[in-house]
């Protein structure tokens, strides 16, 4: 026992008698085949060279972490800076789909996606979500992005499932809330729904930004007020003038309430509740999709707000700042919206021509 204590931990020693009768000692690591790292005439070597060889042998004997499976590479991606810098909602969505991907393909080798035939296997799997075009497409988008990252990082030589077919191709640019439709809903809906619709059509904010609109985001200007908010989707700042109608919504908000928009009980809204509440009262107001030919949604208020801003005399640069768009996008979007909003068409197109 005393003898073995003079050797580093885990070292096994054997000896052999040479022709001249001297003893030579051989050192390896217990339980690690082929780990011989030293031989010499000393029974208990203590030199720096011996210790360095021992440390190297221990390192070499450690189990190799061979990142080959889909599950391994997904874990690497989720820990990568590429994933970590995404917004929380995006991370949650990506993680959910990649976990589904792992459940199906986790044990398989990541190199399977280098083979063109793997595209058929992947499409067969995502048929589970064929009932929802958005989910079907999003599944493909997330996995494609993940495999593009794996290719860029050298885990695979080529991503063979590029160019996946998409099902969801609906263009809603021709759908906006007209003044008469807004009036039709606000005439009968409860106050909390009225405030949502008015705020959406006056500011053009997306549902994710509307539900977190607070007094802290409203600033005084020399001529009035504005909303200053960093958009949830793109993370860019938007500066939105508070119109007289929107000012009424703000001023009606109880002094002890931070959020401008709430649910029926005065609590915080979710995107789903805001959208569903408006949908419910849209239908009760007679604006049923089967009757009007399209389904008006909360998101469709953005086009209404954009055309109103131009009609009020704002420049394209000002509208781009309000909507969080580039100037080019602002011109394209407003021209598209203006053509399909009968109440706004003539004035808006004339203003757009002047702005250009």
């Amino acid at each position: 026992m005393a003898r073995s204590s003079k050797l580093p931990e885990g070292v096994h020693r054997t000896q052999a008698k040479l022709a001249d009768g001297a003893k030579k000692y051989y050192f390896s690591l217990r339980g690690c085949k082929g780990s011989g790292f030293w031989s010499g005439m000393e029974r208990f070597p203590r030199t720096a060279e011996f210790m360095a060889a021992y440390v190297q042998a221990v390192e070499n004997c450690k189990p190799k972490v061979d990142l080959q499976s889909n599950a391994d590479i997904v874990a690497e991606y989720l820990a990568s800076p590429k994933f970590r810098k995404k917004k929380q909602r995006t991370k949650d969505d990506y993680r959910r789909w990649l976990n589904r991907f792992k459940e199906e393909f986790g044990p398989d080798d990541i190199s399977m996606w280098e083979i063109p035939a793997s595209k058929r296997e992947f499409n067969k799997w995502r048929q589970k979500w064929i009932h929802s075009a958005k989910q079907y497409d999003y599944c493909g988008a997330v996995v494609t992005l993940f495999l593009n990252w794996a290719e860029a990082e050298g885990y695979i030589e080529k991503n063979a499932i590029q160019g996946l077919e998409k099902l969801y191709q609906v263009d809603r640019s021709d759908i906006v809330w007209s003044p008469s439709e807004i009036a039709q809903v606000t005439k009968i809906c409860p106050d909390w729904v009225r405030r949502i619709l008015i705020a959406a059509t006056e500011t053009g904010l997306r549902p994710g930004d509307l539900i977190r609109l607070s007094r802290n985001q409203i600033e005084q200007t020399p001529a009035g007020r504005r909303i200053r908010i960093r958009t949830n989707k793109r993370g860019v700042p938007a500066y939105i003038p508070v119109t007289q109608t929107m000012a009424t919504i703000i001023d009606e908000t109880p002094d002890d309430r931070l959020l401008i928009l709430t649910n029926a009980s005065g609590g915080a809204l979710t995107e789903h509740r805001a959208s569903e509440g408006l949908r419910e009262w849209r239908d009760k107001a007679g604006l049923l999709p089967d009757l009007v030919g399209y389904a008006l949604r909360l998101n469709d208020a953005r086009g209404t707000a954009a055309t109103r801003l131009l009609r009020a005399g704002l420049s394209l640069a000002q509208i781009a700042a309000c909507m969080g768009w580039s100037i080019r996008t602002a011109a394209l979007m407003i021209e598209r919206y203006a053509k399909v909003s009968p109440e706004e068409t003539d004035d808006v197109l004339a203003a757009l021509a002047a702005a250009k």
Side-chain angles (χ1 to χ4, degrees):
M1 183 69 67
R3 181 176 59 184
S4 63
S5 66
K6 295 180 181 180
L7 293 174
E9 182 180 359
V11 172
H12 176 64
R13 181 186 62 210
T14 59
Q15 65 183 40
K17 184 178 287 189
L18 302 180
D20 60 2
K23 291 181 179 179
K24 187 172 184 178
Y25 299 95
Y26 299 87
F27 302 86
S28 61
L29 298 180
R30 289 190 181 91
C32 190
K33 187 177 180 179
S35 62
F37 65 91
W38 190 262
S39 64
M41 308 306 291
E42 291 184 79
R43 188 177 183 186
F44 300 108
R46 287 308 211 190
T47 63
E49 291 81 4
F50 171 82
M51 295 305 298
Y54 164 69
V55 171
Q56 185 62 50
V58 172
E59 186 65 28
N60 292 340
C61 198
K62 289 180 179 178
K64 297 293 187 296
V65 178
D66 194 8
L67 297 177
Q68 293 293 332
S69 72
N70 286 306
D72 289 336
I73 310 306
V74 166
E76 290 293 300
Y77 173 69
L78 295 179
S80 70
K82 182 81 170 180
F83 177 77
R84 290 179 177 274
K85 71 180 183 179
K86 296 184 181 300
K87 292 185 176 298
Q88 188 58 49
R89 179 175 176 180
T90 302
K91 289 194 289 188
D92 291 343
D93 289 340
Y94 278 30
R95 188 177 286 109
R96 179 169 59 254
W97 282 104
L98 289 175
N99 283 337
R100 291 170 176 170
F101 174 78
K102 275 198 310 181
E103 289 174 6
E104 182 72 17
F105 303 108
D108 299 326
D109 197 292
I110 188 70
S111 62
M112 67 182 289
W113 306 113
E114 299 173 350
I115 304 170
S118 64
K119 189 172 183 178
R120 291 197 303 272
E121 186 173 352
F122 177 76
N123 279 328
K124 184 178 179 180
W125 169 67
R126 69 172 180 150
Q127 288 287 323
K128 293 180 181 180
W129 297 280
I130 195 68
H131 62 280
S132 170
K134 283 188 176 182
Q135 291 190 70
Y136 182 86
D137 289 351
Y138 198 68
C139 171
V142 171
V143 175
T144 299
L145 183 145
F146 160 67
L147 292 177
N148 286 343
W149 173 86
E151 179 183 342
E153 292 294 316
Y155 292 110
I156 55 177
E157 292 186 5
K158 182 181 179 181
N159 174 15
I161 66 165
Q162 298 279 8
L164 295 173
E165 181 182 3
K166 293 184 178 181
L167 296 182
Y168 189 75
Q169 297 178 343
V170 177
D171 182 3
R172 298 187 58 83
S173 63
D174 60 341
I175 301 176
V176 295
W177 286 86
S178 69
S180 61
E181 290 166 337
I182 296 171
Q184 199 168 332
V185 174
T186 56
K187 183 178 179 180
I188 66 165
C189 71
D191 190 58
W192 69 276
V193 174
R194 176 187 67 85
R195 291 169 59 84
I196 291 172
L197 179 55
I198 295 300
T201 53
E202 290 295 316
T203 66
L205 290 172
R206 297 182 180 90
D209 296 320
L210 279 172
I211 63 172
R212 61 188 182 93
L213 183 61
S214 72
R215 293 183 183 276
N216 295 336
Q217 295 162 328
I218 300 170
E219 301 177 340
Q220 291 292 329
T221 64
R225 286 177 286 183
R226 72 175 182 180
I227 296 169
R228 179 178 181 177
I229 185 171
R230 187 169 291 276
T231 61
N232 193 44
K233 183 175 181 179
R234 291 190 173 89
V236 298
Y239 304 90
I240 306 167
V242 174
T243 63
Q244 185 174 353
T245 305
M246 186 62 195
T248 302
I249 296 294
I250 295 171
D251 295 339
E252 289 175 348
T253 306
D255 294 337
D256 60 348
R257 183 180 294 169
L258 182 63
L259 291 173
I260 302 301
L261 304 176
T262 64
N263 59 27
S265 302
L269 280 164
T270 63
E271 290 185 50
H272 177 75
R273 185 63 188 123
S275 297
E276 284 300 296
L278 180 58
R279 181 196 60 77
E280 177 186 353
W281 288 94
R282 173 206 70 190
D283 291 351
K284 290 181 178 179
L287 298 175
L288 294 163
D290 292 342
L291 295 179
V292 299
Y294 49 84
L296 282 164
R297 300 174 184 171
L298 186 55
N299 267 316
D300 299 324
R302 282 177 66 74
T304 307
T307 51
R308 180 178 289 113
L309 291 174
L310 187 63
R311 192 176 185 183
L314 274 70
S315 68
L316 287 178
Q318 290 171 320
I319 294 171
C322 291
M323 305 297 292
W325 289 333
S326 67
I327 294 178
R328 175 180 171 81
T329 300
L332 292 173
M333 296 301 288
I334 291 171
E335 189 163 19
R336 181 183 297 172
Y337 286 134
K339 288 179 179 177
V340 298
S341 181
E343 292 83 351
E344 310 254 0
T345 297
D346 294 339
D347 290 345
V348 169
L349 288 180
L352 182 60
K356 285 183 178 180

